[in-house]
């Protein structure tokens, strides 16, 4: 789906319960985890035929963050998101992972600079290892979030028919944030 024709999620149409932050990952977190009875909100984002009731009935929402090499942006997003999920007591409801569109770092730990920056903020990336995104990820994950337009384009070209609604640009969940 071309970037210009995608719907951008507007987070200002519902109340975010404390203590979810209003950071980009906070908006992603808020938009994905608003599952009654955990909150009261007026809008649940829907993608394709997936709606709010189906999410209620499912045990786990699965989120995949994707960047180029899976050693800095996507593992950091995974780590921060996992920290938010754990803090909110939703680890049994939300599964988080990350991957890269490239394969040259497969098996490596996240970049030392990313790890150090995350650690300073109380986020642990030490257990993560880079992996390459697989076509099966579009079946396994409810949300495949590309960290930038180039990775979105790469993912879009390999996305199986009928799974396009799972692929989103990370910043779609933060419409007021700056773009590159």
């Amino acid at each position: 789906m071309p970037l210009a024709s995608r719907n951008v999620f507007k987070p200002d149409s519902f109340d975010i319960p404390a203590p979810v932050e209003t950071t980009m990952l906070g908006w992603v977190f808020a938009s994905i985890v608003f599952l009654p009875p955990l909150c009261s909100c007026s809008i649940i984002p829907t993608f394709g035929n997936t709606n709010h009731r189906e999410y209620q009935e499912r045990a786990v929402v699965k989120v995949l963050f994707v960047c180029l090499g899976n050693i800095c942006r996507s593992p950091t997003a995974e780590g921060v998101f996992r920290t938010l999920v754990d803090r909110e007591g939703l680890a049994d409801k939300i599964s988080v992972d990350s991957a890269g569109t490239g394969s040259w770092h497969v098996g490596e730990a996240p970049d030392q600079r990313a790890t150090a920056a995350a650690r300073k903020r109380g986020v642990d990336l030490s257990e993560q290892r880079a992996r390459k995104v697989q076509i099966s990820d579009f079946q396994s994950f409810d949300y495949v979030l590309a960290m930038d337009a180039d990775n979105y384009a790469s993912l879009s070209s390999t996305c199986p028919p009928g799974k396009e609604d799972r692929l989103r640009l990370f910043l779609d969940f933060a419409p007021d944030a700056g773009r590159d």
Side-chain angles (χ1 to χ4, degrees):
M1 177 183 318
L3 287 174
S5 66
R6 290 171 303 127
N7 292 326
V8 174
F9 173 66
K10 301 288 186 188
D12 57 343
S13 58
F14 58 86
D15 296 322
I16 297 176
V20 176
E21 287 109 16
T22 56
T23 63
M24 279 185 278
L25 275 165
W27 286 122
V28 173
F29 176 80
S31 67
I32 291 172
V33 302
F34 276 138
L35 308 171
L38 299 175
C39 75
S40 60
C41 61
S42 59
I43 286 186
I44 300 289
T46 59
F47 302 106
N49 294 326
T50 303
N51 64 35
H52 145 124
R53 184 156 313 282
E54 288 173 28
Y55 274 123
Q56 277 184 295
E57 296 169 359
R58 289 165 51 179
V60 176
V61 174
K62 297 177 182 177
V63 182
L64 179 66
F65 296 97
V66 182
C67 69
L68 187 61
N70 194 216
I71 60 166
C72 52
R73 292 173 295 165
S74 60
T76 300
E78 175 190 347
V80 172
F81 197 72
R82 186 181 313 280
T83 299
L84 289 171
V85 167
D86 289 346
R87 187 177 67 205
E88 296 298 317
L90 296 169
D92 62 330
K93 299 261 186 225
I94 300 169
S95 173
V96 185
D97 197 3
S98 63
T101 55
S103 61
W104 51 92
H105 293 295
V106 169
E108 293 180 20
D111 182 85
Q112 292 176 349
R113 295 164 293 185
T115 302
R119 189 178 317 110
K120 275 177 46 175
R121 292 162 178 84
V123 175
D124 181 17
L125 307 182
S126 65
E127 297 298 314
Q128 295 184 39
R129 294 298 175 263
R131 73 176 187 88
K132 187 175 191 277
V133 72
Q134 304 293 313
I135 291 176
S136 62
D137 288 333
F138 289 99
Q139 179 66 37
S140 301
F141 289 91
D142 301 295
Y143 295 84
V144 177
L145 302 179
M147 301 306 287
D148 61 39
D150 289 337
N151 286 294
Y152 180 90
S154 177
L155 290 165
S156 185
S157 72
T158 60
C159 183
K163 301 299 179 188
E164 298 88 353
D165 61 339
R166 295 171 184 233
L167 177 59
R168 304 293 295 220
L169 189 63
F170 176 72
L171 287 180
D172 283 353
F173 294 91
D176 297 328
R179 303 268 196 222
D180 335 289

